[in-house]
């Protein structure tokens, strides 16, 4: 077996922690001795042992002379758990293969160097791009201290998110809708605007068994979310943040009494300042957000430069209608060269629909 085989095994282990480890990274570890995997594990949940420690503690065989394959540089500091470098050095493992280095200033090369200082050979960059892709959320959050924002929408082949009457259920098929539920599990928060709440009264939950619900964030400049809405009524069960410029204590108290958290955000023009909101959410430890807003919030998010990626589900149908809604509304750009540019598309078919995953090429714009 070559090196990439074992690292890809570690990557598959890491993926098992998806949605449960935030704001920590997904990490997988594989221990190999004499060409045979003798243990493998992953980081299961934030606050619990890391992948390397799990793999070592669960190994039933002598590890002296073994090799460790790990998707992310082992930590070398005390946090909620002891440093992984410590148990690696105690285990008898003599060689460590690392997929990607950790940009966390508490690690950032120090983990690999510490292992080398204790006589353990370290090789870096094995399946590096795959390991980097695995933790794009973590890398963004650790560098910027703001959530990684993924805009998601479903549209017809002619670019409509609803018919001319406003009907939108369902544009995509069941397989695509299940994939969206997985995204709600994967990302730590889900954000929608008050317009979506008023129009659809969504629960904004993950409906897959055994998965977790995201933290709900409602952008509501003037606090118009009905107290009878699904999100407010279930706020004691599922964390719900209402981001608003409203400061009337009596008005906000009614929501707090229902279990909602009020996040006061200053205005930027006629709406709340989304960049300020991202900073506040980052300080709350929210590392990622699935943006399921309407067309107006989508435009505001793009204009503010807070969106890092776009998930476009395209259904094999057409609605037509000059007044039928499109995914992004707002004022729009005046000239083609002012467009919000997307890059690095990944295209795959999900059931009868197509999913295109894009990166936003430039997040800061002057319109």
């Amino acid at each position: 077996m070559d090196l990439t085989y074992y690292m890809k095994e570690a990557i598959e282990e890491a993926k098992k922690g998806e949605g449960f480890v935030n704001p920590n990274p997904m990490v997988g570890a594989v221990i190999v001795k004499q060409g045979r995997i003798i243990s493998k594990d992953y980081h299961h949940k934030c606050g619990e042992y890391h992948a390397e420690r799990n793999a070592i503690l669960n190994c039933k065989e002598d590890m002296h002379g073994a090799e460790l394959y790990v998707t992310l540089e082992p930590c070398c500091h005390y946090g909620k758990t002891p440093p992984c470098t410590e148990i690696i050095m105690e285990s008898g493992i003599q060689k460590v293969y690392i997929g990607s280095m950790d940009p966390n200033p508490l690690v950032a090369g120090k983990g690999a160097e510490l292992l080398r200082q204790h006589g353990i050979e370290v090789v870096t960059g094995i399946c590096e791009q795959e390991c980097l892709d695995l933790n794009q959320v973590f890398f963004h959050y650790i560098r910027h201290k703001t959530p990684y924002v993924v805009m998601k929408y479903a549209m017809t082949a002619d670019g409509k998110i609803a018919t001319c009457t406003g009907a939108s259920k369902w544009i995509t098929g069941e397989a695509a809708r299940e994939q969206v539920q997985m995204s709600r599990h994967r990302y730590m928060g889900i954000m929608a605007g008050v317009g979506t709440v008023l129009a659809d009264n969504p629960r904004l939950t993950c409906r897959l068994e055994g998965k977790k619900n995201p933290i709900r964030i409602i952008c509501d400049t003037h606090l118009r979310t009905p107290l009878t809405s699904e999100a407010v009524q279930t706020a004691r069960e599922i964390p719900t943040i209402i981001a608003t410029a409203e400061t009337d204590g009596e008005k906000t108290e009614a929501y707090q009494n229902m279990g909602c958290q009020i996040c006061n955000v200053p205005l930027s023009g006629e709406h709340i300042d989304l960049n300020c909101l991202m900073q506040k959410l980052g300080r709350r430890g929210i590392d990622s957000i699935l943006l399921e807003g309407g067309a107006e919030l989508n435009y505001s998010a793009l204009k503010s430069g807070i969106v890092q990626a776009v998930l476009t589900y395209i259904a094999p149908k057409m609605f037509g209608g000059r007044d039928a809604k499109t995914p992004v509304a707002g004022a729009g750009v005046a000239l083609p060269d002012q467009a919000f540019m997307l890059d690095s598309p990944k295209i795959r078919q999900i059931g009868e629909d197509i999913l295109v995953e894009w990166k936003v090429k430039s997040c800061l714009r002057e319109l």
Side-chain angles (χ1 to χ4, degrees):
M1 299 293 183
D2 63 12
L3 305 182
T4 60
Y5 173 84
Y6 296 118
M7 189 60 76
K8 286 179 178 178
E9 284 287 308
I11 290 170
E12 290 307 307
E13 283 295 306
K15 290 176 181 176
K16 296 176 183 178
E18 184 178 66
F20 296 111
V21 300
N22 309 62
N24 285 355
M26 290 181 278
V27 183
V30 171
I31 301 173
V32 177
K33 188 171 182 179
Q34 297 175 346
R36 186 169 55 88
I37 294 175
I38 59 173
S39 183
K40 58 182 179 179
D41 217 315
Y42 64 101
H43 181 35
H44 292 221
K45 188 177 180 182
C46 180
E48 296 183 358
Y49 283 156
H50 294 179
E52 304 95 313
R53 188 170 289 271
N54 282 334
I56 290 169
L57 290 176
N58 293 329
C59 186
K60 306 300 183 187
E61 300 187 31
D62 178 26
M63 287 174 280
H64 283 83
E67 300 172 341
L68 171 68
Y69 292 76
V70 61
T71 56
L72 186 69
E73 179 184 9
C75 66
C76 54
H77 63 285
Y78 280 88
K80 293 182 179 178
T81 61
C84 292
T85 50
E86 186 178 89
I87 196 167
I88 293 170
M89 292 184 296
E90 294 169 352
S91 68
I93 288 170
Q94 75 173 51
K95 193 168 187 176
V96 176
Y97 293 96
I98 296 172
S100 59
M101 301 301 283
D102 191 341
N104 186 340
L106 295 172
V107 187
K110 301 182 187 75
E113 183 56 31
L114 185 61
L115 294 176
R116 289 189 180 106
Q117 289 173 3
H118 285 78
I120 296 173
E121 186 179 351
V122 177
V123 179
T124 62
I126 310 301
C127 298
E128 184 175 28
Q129 192 55 55
E130 292 97 319
C131 292
L132 290 172
D133 290 343
L134 183 69
N135 280 312
Q136 57 189 349
V137 166
F138 171 73
F139 294 138
H140 172 88
Y141 181 67
I142 207 72
R143 290 186 177 114
H144 302 283
K145 304 301 181 187
T146 57
Y148 185 90
V149 179
V150 179
M151 177 188 293
K152 178 243 103 181
Y153 56 83
M155 69 180 191
T156 59
D158 60 338
K160 305 298 184 181
I161 62 171
T163 67
C164 59
T165 65
S168 61
K169 290 185 171 60
W170 294 103
I171 291 176
T172 53
E174 189 174 332
R177 297 200 299 273
E178 183 169 325
Q179 182 70 25
V180 171
Q181 296 300 314
M182 278 300 299
S183 292
R184 290 184 177 189
H185 163 73
R186 178 182 184 186
Y187 298 111
M188 200 167 179
I190 185 170
M191 189 163 80
V194 66
T196 297
V197 174
L198 292 171
D200 301 331
N201 192 22
R203 287 183 65 88
L204 300 173
T205 56
C206 177
R207 296 188 286 274
L208 299 178
E209 188 177 348
K211 305 301 182 183
K212 67 162 185 53
N213 287 316
I215 297 167
R216 300 179 297 197
I217 303 141
I218 299 171
C219 295
D220 185 357
T221 303
H222 303 295
L223 207 51
R224 296 185 295 134
T225 299
L227 291 171
T228 54
S229 66
E230 288 278 3
V232 174
Q233 289 291 312
T234 57
R236 294 196 184 282
E237 305 161 29
I238 304 162
T240 303
I241 299 169
I242 300 181
T244 181
E246 180 61 67
T247 56
D248 184 315
E250 237 179 79
K251 202 170 179 183
T252 57
E253 187 179 6
Y255 293 89
Q256 291 170 322
N257 288 340
M258 296 291 289
C260 296
Q261 304 171 47
I262 297 295
C263 181
N264 285 116
V265 183
L267 289 170
S268 175
E270 297 180 355
H271 303 288
I272 58 171
D273 186 327
L274 291 177
N275 279 290
C276 180
L277 174 59
M278 292 304 107
Q279 292 166 13
K280 286 175 176 281
L281 295 177
R283 287 195 289 270
R284 291 177 182 230
I286 297 174
D287 71 346
S288 53
I289 292 172
L290 182 65
L291 175 58
E292 289 199 32
E296 295 295 333
L297 181 57
N298 284 348
Y299 176 74
S300 295
L302 287 167
K303 184 179 178 182
S304 299
I306 67 167
V307 181
Q308 280 71 53
V310 177
L311 299 180
T312 303
Y313 290 87
I314 305 171
K317 59 186 72 168
M318 295 184 180
F319 286 166
R322 66 176 61 88
D323 297 323
K325 293 181 179 179
T326 57
V328 181
V333 300
L335 299 169
D337 63 5
Q338 294 176 328
F340 304 101
M341 298 302 296
L342 306 178
D343 199 5
S344 307
K346 293 181 181 178
I347 304 170
R348 56 188 168 124
Q349 186 161 352
I350 300 178
E352 61 187 11
D353 306 302
I354 293 171
L355 170 61
V356 185
E357 302 180 50
W358 309 86
K359 296 289 176 61
V360 177
K361 194 169 185 178
S362 176
C363 292
L364 297 175
R365 306 199 44 85
E366 288 291 332
L367 294 182

